């Protein structure tokens, strides 16, 4: 089954977060069709997490996007990591979501 384009997936993710009463914003627009999507989770307690695309070996047969935890640290460390990722991949998407419960609302795999 074909995977949703990055722009469509991000749009749906942002709408679902808003529907759930969460604050989520698009911080960086990437390549429309297949840009890698990163999600920064701010727990609003001085901690944050960064999620990135899961390796292809852990892909879902149905074509659903899966994510893995890249870094769990303070927000400044997350921003440093995001800056490095953007230097490596200028086509990436960055979404930031705030959730005190610590749930990024993603399909996360164990790495």
């Amino acid at each position: 089954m074909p995977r949703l384009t990055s722009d469509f997936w991000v749009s749906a993710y942002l709408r679902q977060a808003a529907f759930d009463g969460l604050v989520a914003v698009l911080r960086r627009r990437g390549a429309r069709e297949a840009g890698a999507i990163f999600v920064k989770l701010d727990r609003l307690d001085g901690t944050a997490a960064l999620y990135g695309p899961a390796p292809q070996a852990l892909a879902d047969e149905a074509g659903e996007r899966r994510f893995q935890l890249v870094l769990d640290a303070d927000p400044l460390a997350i921003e440093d990591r995001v800056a490095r990722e953007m230097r490596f991949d200028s086509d990436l998407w960055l979404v930031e979501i705030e959730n005190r419960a610590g749930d990024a609302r993603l399909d996360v795999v164990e790495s």
Side-chain angles (χ1 to χ4, degrees):
M1 175 178 247
R3 180 186 278 195
L4 296 175
T5 62
S6 295
D7 65 332
F8 189 88
W9 188 93
V10 168
S11 177
Y13 181 77
L14 293 171
R15 286 180 188 262
Q16 185 63 52
F19 180 79
D20 294 341
L22 300 171
V23 174
V25 295
L26 176 61
R27 288 195 35 203
R28 178 182 174 84
R29 183 177 303 276
R32 180 179 173 94
E33 297 295 321
I37 301 168
F38 285 80
V39 176
K40 176 185 173 187
L41 167 66
D42 189 338
R43 296 184 191 99
L44 303 172
D45 66 356
T47 65
L50 181 65
Y51 296 90
Q56 282 300 114
L58 300 174
D60 183 311
E61 293 92 29
E64 295 292 322
R65 289 186 186 269
R66 288 184 161 174
F67 292 83
Q68 69 178 4
L69 179 64
V70 174
L71 182 63
D72 193 343
D74 66 90
L76 291 178
I78 300 293
E79 290 300 321
D80 287 343
R81 180 60 184 260
V82 166
R84 282 187 296 191
E85 293 289 343
M86 287 191 299
R87 284 193 297 272
F88 177 74
D89 180 3
S90 62
D91 290 334
L92 70 80
W93 292 74
L94 178 60
V95 177
E96 185 165 346
I97 187 168
E98 296 177 349
N99 188 342
R100 288 186 191 280
D103 182 3
R105 308 289 173 100
L106 300 169
D107 184 5
V108 178
V109 299
E110 298 296 321
S111 52

